[in-house]
């Protein structure tokens, strides 16, 4: 039994090492900022930077573990999909409406669980949600 466990550990280490060779999730590019919203105030932007920019902007801070598979696969996918759904650095091409933004903020859908588990401070408090929603409303519909 002890021998089987040793073989399983060795096999797992070999597989872990081999998946590091896959180029998936390692293209950590931050394109230039095209356009940002005309923020209603700095508090709204600060909330967006603190709670949203990591996945919804071209200002992603790629952590050391974003280079280690399989975490790199999930992080890269989250950033690509986040930028595609709404990108504060390319505001002219935002596909989401104000109603959609308010809904994902109020529901707690953002940030997703795989992010806030490792970044507990990224979750908005009820007060922050309301301030952020009010600020986004004024930013989008001045």
């Amino acid at each position: 039994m002890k021998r089987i466990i040793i073989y399983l550990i060795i096999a797992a280490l070999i597989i872990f090492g081999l998946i590091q060779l896959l180029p998936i999730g390692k293209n950590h590019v931050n394109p230039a900022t095209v356009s940002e919203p005309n923020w209603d105030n700095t508090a709204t932007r600060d909330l967006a930077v603190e709670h949203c920019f990591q996945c919804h902007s071209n200002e992603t801070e790629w952590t050391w573990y974003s280079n280690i598979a399989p975490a790199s696969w999930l992080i890269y996918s989250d950033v690509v999909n986040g930028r595609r759904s709404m990108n504060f650095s390319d505001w002219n091409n935002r596909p989401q409406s104000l109603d959609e933004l308010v809904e994902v903020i109020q529901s707690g859908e953002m940030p997703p669980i795989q992010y806030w588990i490792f970044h507990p401070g990224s979750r908005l408090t009820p007060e922050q949600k309301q301030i952020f929603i009010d600020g986004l409303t004024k930013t989008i519909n001045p």
Side-chain angles (χ1 to χ4, degrees):
M1 182 66 169
K2 191 174 186 180
R3 183 175 256 165
I4 291 172
I5 292 174
I6 290 172
Y7 286 141
L8 287 175
I9 291 172
I10 291 171
L13 289 173
I14 289 171
I15 291 170
F16 180 76
L18 288 174
I19 66 172
Q20 302 312 309
L21 300 175
L22 296 174
I24 302 166
K26 298 198 176 163
N27 183 14
H28 297 165
V29 175
N30 283 336
T33 297
V34 177
S35 62
E36 262 199 44
N38 186 17
W39 300 101
D40 71 312
N41 63 49
T42 57
T44 305
R45 186 181 191 281
D46 291 345
L47 283 168
V49 169
E50 184 178 349
H51 300 279
C52 309
F53 268 43
Q54 193 61 12
C55 293
H56 293 283
S57 79
N58 295 344
E59 298 177 31
T60 302
E61 294 175 14
W62 298 99
T63 57
W64 64 269
Y65 53 85
S66 67
N67 291 302
I68 300 172
S72 62
W73 305 341
L74 179 62
I75 294 167
Y76 180 76
S77 174
D78 283 350
V79 171
V80 168
N81 291 329
R83 287 176 179 172
R84 187 178 305 129
S85 68
M86 190 204 44
N87 189 339
F88 286 108
S89 299
D90 191 5
W91 193 246
N92 294 333
N93 293 317
R94 70 181 185 280
Q96 288 189 332
S97 69
L98 177 60
D99 292 338
E100 290 173 305
L101 291 173
V102 169
E103 183 180 328
V104 298
I105 293 167
Q106 283 180 333
S107 69
E109 185 180 329
M110 287 290 136
I113 189 169
Q114 67 267 24
Y115 185 77
W116 63 257
I117 282 178
F118 296 102
H119 305 91
S122 67
R123 295 189 81 182
L124 290 160
T125 66
E127 296 80 22
Q128 288 174 318
K129 283 181 185 181
Q130 194 56 54
I131 292 168
F132 193 37
I133 289 168
D134 292 345
L136 283 175
T137 301
K138 291 175 186 170
T139 297
I140 294 171
N141 299 324

